[in-house]
């Protein structure tokens, strides 16, 4: 327990370090012009790296919150007696939905949600819903039956049982689903500039269009760092929230 | 998976909330009826202009009334009859959309288009839900009636007036080429990922020295695909300009020899050499395999920089490398889990029969792990088909070409021309490999 919280300090430090690094616009400029001497402006100059990364994180968090707020209740509903009839449908939809390519989801949502970051957030939400719903369905249906019976036997109402017994037991798998979803959303958000969503994909897409490798590298390195740190942070969070597993 | 607490209820089983009607069929009918109230088409004066939305009730209400009636019947029927009715609704849906498009395009200029609007798509969703309900009721009819209805619609040319199909008509040659490119890119990447991933997965089960393999492949997949493309771009650009083909081949040959010699003495070092060589071999092998499979032909130019042989910073080379690295995780992970899951008793039996470790692997471990390995192949294939769409951004072509051009020019029909086949391909490959896995499990007697 102690060590898990200790690592959480490290997480905070790394996030501060990463955004500190993103704020060093001049440093990025120096490094990129050393790497790509032939490019006239190796650093994306329409927006600072810091604002791009904040946009990226903003889109991810907004879509992620929507996913959690809608995906979890959906999974809980389908594992209750009332919604049990819909569960196979939900399972099969999730399986099919996962074969949809992320870019296709993003651009297909274009005519419906329109151009801009709202559209991107909603499309990413739809895509990110899948791991959370799947994780939720798995988590709530793999609980040991004797524990649940014991809870009911102790006189818990279905709602009490859900919150006091099922939810804590399902938490590890739920959290794994949420992590998968957030990492997926963050990665897919790189293509968001195609639909006007902004974020760290902007310099990549712009750089590819005018074949400026400096722009491409700037965006690619930053988004890769952001993705790795996000993944690691959520892994740590899982460890802290479910200390009984380690 | 652990025993489930809430198994899906079968009809008539003890259950507190017993639905008189099938809730899923009701949902389908509800969606279908709502769709009838929404616009189905967006009629535009040109492929990029804004248009006016058109519902289905505007001209003659016999067809929409019929479709509404069919939906009501679907809601209250079951099994075979339901599957049959759904087939008829699909027919009515396609004919309705087609006729409506023809009606609105009549007398308009050649450039006018009828794009698909929300009602059309919602109907599609309703059909999915409906067929799901009918299929679960044991109606095999539903598996037949859907393809038959779609085939009839295609033969009748019901879709010919719809936007994406008109787009296809004007891009036919390019479409065939890009589809071929897309398939060749994805197939090459999947083949390479299996060639690389199988040994890596096997190695990962062989002791702590190879424990890094799984985290590294997982790490590769955390990096967004577009970023991986972007990171490879400058590296490959430098490589392609600076290195000549014969030099690359010589490096490969010498390196292979060095690895072989080092293997006995210093396993870790040998692996390091092998991996960096492997990347080079992956680039060359990928580009050549793609040349063989794809529409662009194979180029091998000795005595010239690598760029003459098709290895460039932009185009197929970075795409193939990135796609292969991406597809590694499902393959490696499933080979690993598959081999780990082989029961110790089976291995003991093999050893007791006097099998050598090699025989044990090929005759016992590998066959028993095969269903999970196939599952990994399925994951890799459907993932790769999807991500190949992004490869168009780095000039590798494929169906993403239409998606990107469509987004750039604001022509949604063109976006659909790229996106629908990608989704279709992914679904077909996914279902095909799923069925193959099921067949394999049956033959092995696991299910």
């Amino acid at each position: 327990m102690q060590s898990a919280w200790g690592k959480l300090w490290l997480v905070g430090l790394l996030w501060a370090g990463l955004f500190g690094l993103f704020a060093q616009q001049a440093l990025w400029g120096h490094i990129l012009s050393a790497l790509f001497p032939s490019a006239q402006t190796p650093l994306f100059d329409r927006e600072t790296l810091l604002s791009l990364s904040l946009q990226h994180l903003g889109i991810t968090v907004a879509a992620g919150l929507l996913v959690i707020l809608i995906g979890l209740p959906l999974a809980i509903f389908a594992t209750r007696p009332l919604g049990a009839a819909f569960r196979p449908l939900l399972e099969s939809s999730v399986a099919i939905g996962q074969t949809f390519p992320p870019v296709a989801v993003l651009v297909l949502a274009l005519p419906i949600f329109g151009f801009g970051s709202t559209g991107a957030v909603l499309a990413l939400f739809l895509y990110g819903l899948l791991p959370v719903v799947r994780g939720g369905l798995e988590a709530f249906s793999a609980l040991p039956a004797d524990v649940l019976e014991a809870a009911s036997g102790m006189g818990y109402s279905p709602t009490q049982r859900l919150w006091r017994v099922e939810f804590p037991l399902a938490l590890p798998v739920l959290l794994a689903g949420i992590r998968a979803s957030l990492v997926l959303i963050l990665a897919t958000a790189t293509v968001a500039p195609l639909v006007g969503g902004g974020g760290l994909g902007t310099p990549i897409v712009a750089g590819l269009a005018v074949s400026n490798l400096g722009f491409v590298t700037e965006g690619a390195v930053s988004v890769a760092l952001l993705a790795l740190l996000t993944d690691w942070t959520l892994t740590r969070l899982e460890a802290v929230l479910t200390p009984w597993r380690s | 998976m652990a025993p489930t607490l809430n198994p899906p209820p079968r009809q008539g089983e003890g259950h507190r909330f017993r639905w008189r009607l099938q809730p899923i069929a009701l949902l389908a009918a509800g969606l279908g009826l709502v769709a009838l109230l929404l616009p189905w088409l967006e009629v535009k004066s040109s492929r990029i202009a804004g248009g006016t939305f058109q519902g289905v009730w505007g001209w003659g209400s016999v067809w929409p009334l019929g479709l509404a009636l069919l939906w009501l019947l679907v809601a209250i029927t079951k099994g075979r009859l339901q599957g049959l009715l759904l087939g008829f609704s699909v027919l009515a849906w396609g004919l309705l959309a087609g006729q409506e498009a023809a009606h609105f395009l009549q007398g308009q200029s050649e450039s006018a288009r009828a794009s698909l609007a929300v009602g059309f798509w919602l109907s599609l969703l309703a059909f999915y839900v409906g067929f799901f309900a009918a299929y679960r009721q044991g109606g095999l009819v539903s598996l037949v009636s859907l393809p038959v209805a779609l085939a009839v619609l295609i033969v009748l040319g019901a879709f010919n007036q719809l936007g994406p199909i008109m787009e296809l008509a004007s891009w036919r040659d390019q479409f065939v080429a890009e589809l071929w490119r897309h398939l060749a890119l994805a197939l090459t990447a999947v083949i390479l990922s299996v060639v690389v991933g199988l040994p890596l997965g096997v190695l990962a089960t062989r002791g702590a020295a190879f424990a890094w393999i799984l985290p590294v492949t997982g790490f590769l997949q955390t990096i967004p695909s577009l970023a991986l493309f972007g990171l490879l771009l400058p590296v490959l650009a430098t490589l392609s300009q600076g290195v000549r083909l014969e030099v690359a081949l010589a490096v490969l040959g010498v390196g292979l020899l060095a690895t072989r010699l080092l293997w006995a003495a210093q396993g870790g070092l040998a692996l390091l050499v092998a991996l960096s060589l492997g990347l080079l071999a992956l680039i060359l092998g990928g580009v050549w395999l793609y040349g063989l499979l794809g529409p662009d032909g194979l180029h091998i130019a000795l005595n010239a920089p690598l760029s003459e042989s098709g290895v460039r910073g932009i185009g197929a080379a970075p795409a193939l490398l990135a796609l292969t690295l991406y597809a590694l995780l499902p393959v490696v992970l499933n080979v690993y889990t598959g081999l780990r899951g082989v029961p110790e008793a089976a291995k003991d039996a093999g050893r007791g029969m006097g099998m050598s470790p090699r025989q044990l692997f090929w005759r016992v471990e590998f066959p028993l792990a095969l269903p999970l390995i196939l599952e990994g192949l399925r994951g890799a294939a459907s993932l790769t088909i999807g991500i190949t769409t992004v490869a168009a951004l780095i000039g590798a072509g494929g169906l993403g070409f239409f998606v990107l051009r469509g987004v750039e020019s604001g022509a949604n029909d063109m976006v659909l021309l790229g996106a629908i086949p990608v989704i279709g391909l992914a679904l077909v490959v996914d279902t095909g490999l799923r069925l193959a896995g099921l067949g394999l499990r049956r033959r092995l007697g696991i299910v």
Side-chain angles (χ1 to χ4, degrees):
Chain A
M1 187 85 189
Q2 198 63 43
S3 69
W5 284 104
K7 285 256 177 89
L8 222 51
W9 278 107
L10 188 61
V11 167
L13 210 65
L14 279 176
W15 276 101
L18 186 63
F19 276 93
L21 185 67
F22 286 159
Q24 303 295 317
Q25 195 78 358
L27 178 69
W28 284 83
H30 286 309
I31 294 175
L32 286 173
S33 43
L35 282 175
F36 306 102
S38 56
Q40 268 190 339
T41 46
L43 190 69
F44 191 65
D45 45 7
R46 260 175 286 160
E47 272 176 283
T48 63
L49 192 54
L50 189 63
S51 85
L52 286 173
S53 55
L54 285 174
Q55 274 174 27
H56 200 101
L57 216 55
I59 298 174
T60 310
V61 170
L65 280 180
L66 273 179
V67 160
I68 296 170
L69 284 179
I70 295 182
L72 280 186
L74 214 57
I76 292 177
F77 169 70
T79 46
R80 300 305 103 188
L82 182 65
F86 291 98
R87 197 179 136 188
L89 178 69
L90 203 58
E91 272 170 353
S92 130
S93 314
V94 168
I96 288 192
Q98 265 178 340
T99 60
F100 277 45
V103 193
V105 176
L106 217 57
V107 294
L108 287 183
L110 198 60
I112 304 168
F113 300 132
F115 206 76
S117 50
T118 326
V121 166
L122 288 174
L124 289 171
F125 150 70
L126 282 181
Y127 200 64
L129 203 55
L130 308 173
V132 167
V133 171
R134 197 159 84 156
L137 289 177
E138 258 172 45
F140 282 110
S141 55
L143 301 175
D146 46 351
V147 175
L148 300 179
E149 268 170 36
S152 300
M154 280 170 69
Y156 278 10
S157 73
T159 323
Q160 280 177 324
R161 195 182 81 168
L162 172 64
W163 289 113
R164 301 203 187 156
V165 180
E166 293 186 45
F167 204 74
L169 281 177
L171 201 57
V173 184
L174 285 183
L175 287 175
I178 290 173
R179 176 164 65 98
S181 165
L182 278 174
V183 172
L184 192 67
I185 291 175
L186 192 130
T188 314
T190 320
V191 246
L194 285 184
V195 296
L200 285 169
T202 316
I204 304 183
V205 173
L208 288 172
V210 297
S211 39
N212 183 330
L213 288 182
F215 287 5
V216 176
T217 311
E218 178 190 356
V221 169
S222 340
V223 81
L225 287 176
L226 199 60
L228 292 173
L229 188 56
T230 306
D231 187 48
W232 189 70
T233 304
L234 293 170
T235 320
R236 298 291 354 135
L237 262 182
E238 274 175 53
V240 170
L241 288 176
T242 56
W244 60 87
R245 287 174 72 212
S246 50
Chain B
M1 213 170 86
T4 54
L5 164 71
N6 300 322
R10 305 217 189 313
Q11 222 59 28
E13 262 181 20
H15 201 282
R16 252 198 306 161
F17 299 85
R18 194 170 293 169
W19 300 78
R20 287 269 164 246
L21 294 160
Q22 283 177 272
I24 298 181
L26 274 182
L27 179 66
L31 287 173
L33 289 173
V34 169
L36 282 172
L37 301 176
L38 294 168
W40 279 33
L41 293 180
E42 187 185 5
V43 182
K44 311 190 260 194
S45 58
S46 79
R47 55 199 282 271
I48 53 168
T52 50
F53 288 100
Q54 302 290 349
V56 279
W57 300 90
W59 54 281
S61 46
V62 180
W63 280 93
L65 262 184
L67 190 53
L69 192 68
L70 275 171
W71 277 120
L72 286 177
L73 286 173
V74 163
I76 54 170
T77 50
K78 277 184 182 175
R80 284 190 188 166
L81 184 59
Q82 196 176 41
L84 206 64
L85 283 171
L86 275 165
F88 280 114
S89 342
V90 171
L91 267 183
W93 160 79
L95 290 173
L96 182 56
Q99 286 190 0
E100 198 195 355
H103 170 81
F104 282 113
L105 289 183
Q106 206 169 35
Q108 297 244 25
S109 72
E110 289 252 321
S111 59
R113 288 284 187 281
S115 295
L116 306 166
V118 60
F120 183 88
W121 299 117
L122 195 63
S123 305
L124 216 54
L125 181 67
F127 284 127
Y128 164 66
V129 177
F131 274 108
F132 187 83
Y135 176 62
R136 277 188 57 90
Q137 286 286 306
L140 266 182
V141 175
S142 59
L143 281 190
V144 183
S145 67
L146 174 67
V148 168
L150 284 179
V152 169
L153 285 176
I154 290 170
V155 169
L156 289 178
F159 297 131
N160 285 358
Q161 302 283 319
L162 300 179
I165 305 293
M166 289 181 82
E167 206 69 31
L168 171 64
S170 51
W171 289 93
R172 191 170 290 272
D173 293 338
Q174 177 104 28
F175 180 79
V176 173
E178 299 298 352
L179 180 66
W180 188 359
R181 255 184 216 120
H182 198 101
L183 286 172
L185 280 171
L187 188 63
T188 308
V190 171
I191 291 176
L192 289 179
S193 72
V194 171
V195 168
V196 178
L198 264 178
L200 280 181
V202 174
L203 278 182
T205 58
R206 303 277 160 94
F210 304 109
W212 51 270
I213 289 178
L214 280 179
V216 166
T217 47
F219 162 85
L220 282 173
Q221 241 198 1
T222 319
I223 301 175
S225 51
L226 191 55
L228 197 53
F229 286 138
L231 290 172
L232 290 174
L233 225 70
V235 180
L236 281 177
T238 320
L239 187 76
S240 70
Q241 290 305 319
V243 181
R244 301 166 80 81
L245 179 58
E246 66 272 16
V247 177
L249 289 177
V251 167
L252 274 180
V254 171
L256 214 61
L257 214 67
T259 316
R260 192 85 189 92
L261 292 176
L262 272 173
W263 190 257
Q266 267 262 301
L269 195 63
L271 205 64
L272 209 68
V273 177
L275 275 184
S276 37
L277 283 180
L279 278 180
L280 185 60
L282 212 58
I283 296 168
L284 279 179
V287 169
W288 286 343
L289 187 59
Y290 172 66
L292 281 176
L293 293 172
D296 303 320
L298 179 63
H299 302 282
I300 298 178
L302 277 171
N303 216 358
L306 279 176
S307 57
E308 294 296 310
S309 298
V311 179
R312 297 192 190 89
I314 214 152
L320 286 168
L321 188 56
L323 289 172
T324 309
L325 293 178
Y326 236 64
L328 268 183
L329 178 69
V331 175
V332 172
L333 192 65
N334 279 280
V335 171
Y336 175 81
T337 2
L339 288 176
R340 269 299 169 90
V342 173
E344 204 54 43
K347 285 194 253 179
D348 274 344
R351 283 191 207 102
M353 285 167 71
M355 287 188 188
S356 69
R358 182 177 296 238
Q359 284 174 322
L360 189 72
F361 178 77
W362 286 112
R363 297 199 189 163
V364 178
E365 294 180 74
F366 188 73
L368 282 176
L370 207 53
L372 260 182
I373 296 177
L374 201 66
E375 188 70 10
L377 183 66
R378 182 181 68 77
S382 62
L383 186 80
T384 309
I385 289 176
I387 297 178
T388 306
T389 322
V390 187
L393 262 180
I394 51 167
L399 289 167
F401 168 82
F402 297 107
V403 174
L404 293 183
R405 283 285 289 272
V407 169
E408 273 164 19
S409 58
N412 287 333
D413 292 337
M414 194 171 175
V415 172
L416 287 174
L417 180 61
I420 294 175
V422 173
I423 294 176
L425 275 177
L427 279 179
V428 166
V429 169
D430 189 79
T431 317
L433 287 173
R434 226 179 257 272
L435 290 178
L438 212 65
L440 189 69
R441 274 164 201 264
R442 289 231 173 89
R443 276 197 62 171
L444 287 172
I446 298 176
V447 171

